[in-house]
Amino acid sequence: MRDALDATPYDALLLLSFGGPEGPDDVVPFLENVTRGRGIPKERLKEVGQHYFLFGGVSPINDQNRALLDALRKDFADHGLDLPIYWGNRNWAPYLTDTLREMVADGHRRILVLATSAYASYSGCRQYRENLADSLAALEAEGLELPKVDKLRHYFNHPGFLEPMVDGVLDSLAELPEDVRDGAHIAFSTHSIPTASADTSGPVEGHGEGGAYVAQHLEVARLIADAVRERTGVEHPWQLVYQSRSGAPHIPWLEPDICDHLEERHESGVPAVVIAPVGFVSDHMEVLYDLDTEAKAKAEELGLPMRRSATVGDDPRFAAAVRDLVLERAAVERGQEVTPCALGALGADHNVCPVGCCPARAPKPAAAGVDSPYA
């Protein structure tokens, strides 16, 4: 972690997240925001919203972001980093445009953005950047002075993101019955995306089968599995698997699905499974439903002992990692030599997204990149 607590030229940090409903009446309007422009009928959205209604129409993501905000503010204050932190969502209150408007009114002109997505992909990076561009365009139309907005690099291999997940897997292994513990398989789970989106994730020169999205997740899985082996002396078999598939059935998405994978592992004689949701920053709805409800039910049906490890959430080590990323990027902006903090073979990811990185199906302006209209 860096010693120099100088965040200049930045004068604020924005936590940018997906958002989620906070009551039954919010569910359909929230899903209308998420699917805007796709022409999905309201009746279909009500069907999709059943996942939320099972939990009282409340997604845990907003409360989890509030907890992360508290952790970040505490870490910054405890270490003497005087940088105000704001929060905005893409799809629900507090909305991104409203938060940026508030930041401008408070006098902030150089803003760093922390997205609650650690990996490269269209939906995990560029879409956030498109939302930022849309909000800046709205402020420009209002005649406001626009801030310069930069986005923190992908942090999938920062030790402050990895170490809490290692501990989560170790805790889950320890919870398994002793007679199946050493033979347990680890299923590292992340959100499935269309294979076409995966193949074009990351910079153009890295486009290919799975792109940066798959490569980064495989690296995280390997790093965690290696750390578990070093700490336990046991080499657990593992595989990267996927969850939360949606969209038309004829469009190929990344596989295997977590529930199919549990069936395959059971048939192969695996005595137990730990599911590690490495693709998610916190225990939001896709973790609660797809893993804690559907995957758990599948494991119980199979008679397969299963534990689900914790996500990073508001772990103090993650808050410290964000502080480190802020100070790293600030030093880069000041022209200083910086040694980025990153584990594994892939190294630190780019600070500024290049042209052609994680392209959209239909080109749209995106902020915080080489091709940003708001440089």
Side-chain angles (χ1 to χ4, degrees), residues 34-291:
V34 173
T35 60
R36 182 171 286 118
R38 300 183 206 171
I40 300 176
K42 182 170 285 191
E43 290 308 310
R44 174 60 183 148
L45 294 179
K46 289 179 181 177
E47 293 175 21
V48 174
Q50 291 307 310
H51 296 181
Y52 292 96
F53 292 127
L54 285 174
F55 296 89
V58 179
S59 168
I61 192 170
N62 278 351
D63 276 346
Q64 289 162 2
N65 280 323
R66 292 181 183 103
L68 178 56
L69 274 174
D70 289 343
L72 291 172
R73 287 167 176 156
K74 181 179 188 306
D75 179 271
F76 284 19
D78 288 350
H79 291 85
L81 178 57
D82 184 16
L83 191 71
I85 308 173
Y86 294 74
W87 167 39
N89 288 326
R90 292 170 48 199
N91 298 297
W92 201 248
Y95 287 104
L96 170 59
T97 302
D98 295 336
T99 300
L100 279 177
R101 186 184 295 110
E102 178 187 359
M103 296 176 83
V104 168
D106 289 346
H108 300 298
R109 297 296 179 267
R110 287 297 303 269
I111 296 169
L112 257 181
V113 176
L114 167 67
T116 53
S117 173
Y119 302 88
S121 70
Y122 170 73
S123 57
C125 183
R126 185 174 180 92
Q127 195 168 20
Y128 282 81
R129 295 175 47 226
E130 289 177 354
N131 293 144
L132 282 165
D134 288 343
S135 292
L136 289 170
L139 298 189
E140 187 175 41
E142 295 171 14
L144 298 177
E145 182 180 350
L146 296 187
K148 185 177 188 309
V149 176
D150 293 327
K151 181 177 173 290
L152 288 171
R153 65 176 172 87
H154 301 127
Y155 45 84
F156 62 94
N157 57 359
H158 194 289
F161 184 67
L162 287 166
E163 288 165 4
M165 292 192 290
V166 171
D167 286 350
V169 172
L170 291 170
D171 290 345
S172 291
L173 286 168
E175 292 171 3
L176 286 169
E178 191 172 353
D179 60 332
V180 299
R181 187 178 303 150
D182 286 354
H185 170 84
I186 305 174
F188 293 102
S189 187
T190 190
H191 205 301
S192 185
I193 61 174
T195 56
S197 294
D199 294 346
T200 56
S201 58
V204 171
E205 61 271 18
H207 288 177
E209 189 174 356
Y213 187 75
V214 171
Q216 290 171 359
H217 279 89
L218 285 172
E219 179 78 337
V220 165
R222 183 187 65 78
L223 288 166
I224 295 173
D226 287 351
V228 169
R229 184 190 66 247
E230 290 168 7
R231 298 188 198 182
T232 64
V234 178
E235 181 144 9
H236 292 272
W238 62 268
Q239 187 171 340
L240 179 64
V241 301
Y242 301 93
Q243 62 176 88
S244 312
R245 188 201 193 285
S246 62
H250 69 280
I251 297 175
W253 283 53
L254 293 173
E255 297 178 335
D257 174 77
I258 178 59
C259 289
D260 294 340
H261 182 69
L262 291 176
E263 289 188 347
E264 292 166 1
R265 293 302 88 202
H266 177 63
E267 289 171 4
S268 72
V270 163
V273 172
V274 168
I275 301 176
V278 296
F280 307 92
V281 171
S282 64
D283 289 4
H284 56 62
M285 184 56 69
E286 283 157 327
V287 175
L288 290 187
Y289 184 78
D290 296 318
L291 298 184

Side-chain angles (χ1 to χ4, degrees), residues 261-341:
H261 182 69
L262 291 176
E263 289 188 347
E264 292 166 1
R265 293 302 88 202
H266 177 63
E267 289 171 4
S268 72
V270 163
V273 172
V274 168
I275 301 176
V278 296
F280 307 92
V281 171
S282 64
D283 289 4
H284 56 62
M285 184 56 69
E286 283 157 327
V287 175
L288 290 187
Y289 184 78
D290 296 318
L291 298 184
D292 294 353
T293 305
E294 283 196 328
K296 180 182 178 183
K298 174 58 70 173
E300 290 174 348
E301 172 193 322
L302 297 169
L304 180 64
M306 185 271 279
R307 298 293 184 275
R308 196 270 290 175
S309 67
T311 51
V312 172
D314 59 348
D315 190 288
R317 290 168 291 184
F318 181 46
V322 173
R323 169 170 42 90
D324 181 67
L325 290 164
V326 167
L327 297 174
E328 172 196 304
R329 182 61 185 276
V332 168
E333 292 297 306
R334 295 195 302 270
Q336 296 176 342
E337 286 228 9
V338 174
T339 302
C341 193

